[in-house]
Amino acid sequence: MATLKKLGILLSGRGSNFEAIADSIKAGRLQAEIAIVISNRADAPGLESAKRRGLNAVLIASRGRVREEHDADVIAALHHAQVDLICLAGYMRLLSPHFIQAFPNRIVNIHPSLLPAFPGMDAQKQALEYGVKITGCTVHFVDEHLDNGPIILQKTVPILDGDDVNSLSARILEQEHKAYSEAIGLILSGEVEIVDRRVLRKLSRSEGR
Amino acid sequence: MATLKKLGILLSGRGSNFEAIADSIKAGRLQAEIAIVISNRADAPGLESAKRRGLNAVLIASRGRVREEHDADVIAALHHAQVDLICLAGYMRLLSPHFIQAFPNRIVNIHPSLLPAFPGMDAQKQALEYGVKITGCTVHFVDEHLDNGPIILQKTVPILDGDDVNSLSARILEQEHKAYSEAIGLILSGEVEIVDRRVLRKLSRSEGR
């Protein structure tokens, strides 16, 4: 039996996407193990949730610290845990270039819009105010630019006439919970590669092009 | 029996979206009539197609003319034909502000992406190069800014690993042909209104909010 690939999770709050990943693993939908959960905030409910699940849950507080120094501690913890892939799950810190270069194409994030539309904060509110009829979520590799790296997977969500930010965010979050585990499974399978900015299946690429 | 609402079509080329609208009317899927088809180019195949269909097809050549003067002739022809709604179908001219103000919220366009992603030329190529997994088409009201007005309807289209610009454009075009007639029917029904930037059904708005 192959060794399970190891995930590192970074979070700052509730970490509902972390919980969805943990549930997918428990249910056998995702072949992986969570090697470490790191929060930069002591009061993150996701940290408690990780402990309750018996996971290796670590606080590396960021408040008052220089970004590079805090990042160095996080990098060390991730290396020590020998993670194969790092999943941001509501991690409210910009990663330093040094962090990103330490794990090339091994950091992923999820964003509640169909990127490149509505990057940054309050993506759901942006979508409502723009008046789009369809939005969704995007799982992407993290690079030096905000919400910019190669896209692994997207799922669509309709915007209904009666929607407000809460109802729309809840509908998108349902799809985020599915999308993140699917995308992680795809990356860990080793079957995809990045060609320019496109994330392609290796097989279909040699067959279809 | 209610009088049919009158459409004015502006095109510069093949006009495949014009043909899809004409087909929808003929098949009874769209309750409207095409009062006038205007091309700014003598060699537009869409102009011939309109004539073959027995429609009022008019050439108002733009080459070498000042925009405002050409626009004034087009506006006069549309007024004379008493159009209720103007549909751009591959019309390769920027409309002057005067044109847009002459028909407030009565000019619509279709764009081959999920706006606000990939506005402007070569939207399909932009989407492929960015590496999105989902794109689509957008029917929107035309305002003074490029590909910017309130969105009436959007349809999604997956991007497949083997896609090039041609295969993707063809897949989007299929959805454009459905989306445009649906959106026109929705506007002509009088059941939608623009609230800020959002195009909402009047009924669901009073019931749902």
Side-chain angles (χ1 to χ4, degrees):
Chain A
M1 189 178 158
T3 315
L4 285 173
K5 298 277 188 177
K6 293 177 196 295
L7 303 181
I9 310 270
L10 304 190
L11 53 79
S12 302
R14 189 159 56 113
S16 86
N17 272 307
F18 147 63
E19 297 198 308
I21 293 166
D23 289 345
S24 290
I25 290 172
K26 197 174 174 186
R29 291 188 301 270
L30 177 60
Q31 306 301 317
E33 65 176 307
I34 295 174
I36 189 167
V37 177
I38 301 172
S39 171
N40 66 313
R41 295 179 52 127
D43 60 353
L47 197 57
E48 282 314 304
S49 165
K51 286 179 189 164
R52 277 197 307 275
R53 290 167 185 265
L55 296 170
N56 177 21
V58 179
L59 169 67
I60 303 178
S62 60
R63 179 175 290 184
R65 299 193 64 197
V66 174
R67 182 185 315 282
E68 283 68 23
E69 290 178 9
H70 176 257
D71 273 6
D73 287 354
V74 176
I75 292 168
L78 291 165
H79 277 145
H80 184 74
Q82 299 185 294
V83 301
D84 296 290
L85 187 68
I86 298 158
C87 306
L88 308 187
Y91 188 60
M92 303 304 281
R93 296 273 291 177
L94 275 177
L95 303 182
S96 61
H98 177 64
F99 194 132
I100 291 162
Q101 286 151 20
F103 302 98
N105 291 332
R106 290 200 288 148
I107 311 172
V108 292
N109 191 24
I110 189 161
H111 183 81
S113 77
L114 294 176
L115 290 172
F118 314 124
M121 295 296 289
D122 298 322
Q124 303 93 336
K125 183 160 177 275
Q126 290 183 56
L128 271 172
E129 288 179 355
Y130 193 95
V132 292
K133 297 300 180 187
I134 297 164
T135 183
C137 61
T138 302
V139 186
H140 63 92
F141 288 106
V142 173
D143 69 10
E144 283 81 358
H145 304 284
L146 180 68
D147 300 329
N148 180 72
I151 291 172
I152 302 143
L153 196 149
Q154 296 183 298
K155 286 189 183 286
T156 61
V157 171
I159 296 191
L160 307 182
D161 281 6
D163 269 335
D164 58 19
V165 171
N166 287 335
S167 63
L168 178 59
S169 298
R171 195 177 309 120
I172 294 173
L173 197 59
E174 275 183 45
Q175 295 306 310
E176 289 180 52
H177 291 169
K178 295 178 191 170
Y180 217 166
S181 292
E182 273 182 45
I184 292 166
L186 200 58
I187 298 163
L188 295 184
S189 74
E191 288 169 11
V192 294
E193 59 184 340
I194 302 173
V195 181
D196 300 324
R197 283 189 53 92
R198 297 180 70 187
V199 179
L200 303 175
R201 280 178 189 270
K202 289 176 183 171
L203 263 177
S204 70
R205 196 169 165 252
S206 57
E207 285 173 356
R209 282 150 67 112
Chain B
M1 188 179 160
T3 315
L4 286 172
K5 298 276 188 178
K6 294 178 197 296
L7 303 180
I9 310 270
L10 304 191
L11 54 78
S12 302
R14 187 159 57 112
S16 86
N17 272 307
F18 147 63
E19 296 196 309
I21 293 166
D23 289 344
S24 290
I25 290 172
K26 197 174 174 187
R29 292 189 300 270
L30 176 60
Q31 306 301 317
E33 65 176 308
I34 296 173
I36 189 167
V37 177
I38 300 172
S39 171
N40 67 313
R41 294 179 53 126
D43 59 354
L47 198 58
E48 282 312 304
S49 164
K51 285 178 187 164
R52 277 197 307 275
R53 289 166 185 265
L55 295 170
N56 177 22
V58 179
L59 168 67
I60 304 180
S62 59
R63 179 176 290 183
R65 298 193 66 195
V66 175
R67 183 184 314 283
E68 284 67 24
E69 289 178 10
H70 176 258
D71 272 6
D73 287 353
V74 176
I75 292 168
L78 291 165
H79 276 145
H80 184 74
Q82 299 185 294
V83 301
D84 296 290
L85 187 69
I86 297 158
C87 305
L88 309 187
Y91 188 61
M92 302 304 283
R93 296 273 291 176
L94 276 176
L95 303 183
S96 61
H98 177 64
F99 194 133
I100 290 161
Q101 287 151 20
F103 303 98
N105 292 331
R106 289 200 289 146
I107 311 173
V108 291
N109 191 24
I110 189 160
H111 183 82
S113 77
L114 294 177
L115 290 171
F118 314 124
M121 295 295 288
D122 298 321
Q124 303 94 336
K125 183 161 177 275
Q126 290 183 55
L128 272 172
E129 289 179 353
Y130 194 94
V132 292
K133 297 300 180 185
I134 296 164
T135 184
C137 61
T138 301
V139 187
H140 64 92
F141 289 105
V142 173
D143 68 10
E144 283 80 359
H145 305 283
L146 179 68
D147 301 329
N148 180 71
I151 291 173
I152 302 143
L153 197 149
Q154 296 183 299
K155 286 189 184 285
T156 61
V157 171
I159 296 190
L160 308 181
D161 280 6
D163 270 335
D164 58 18
V165 171
N166 287 335
S167 63
L168 178 59
S169 298
R171 194 177 309 117
I172 294 173
L173 197 59
E174 276 183 44
Q175 296 306 311
E176 289 180 52
H177 291 169
K178 295 177 190 169
Y180 217 164
S181 292
E182 274 182 46
I184 292 166
L186 200 58
I187 298 164
L188 295 183
S189 73
E191 288 168 11
V192 294
E193 59 184 340
I194 303 173
V195 181
D196 301 324
R197 283 188 53 92
R198 299 180 67 187
V199 179
L200 303 174
R201 279 178 189 269
K202 289 177 185 171
L203 263 176
S204 71
R205 195 168 167 251
S206 56
E207 284 171 358
R209 283 151 65 113

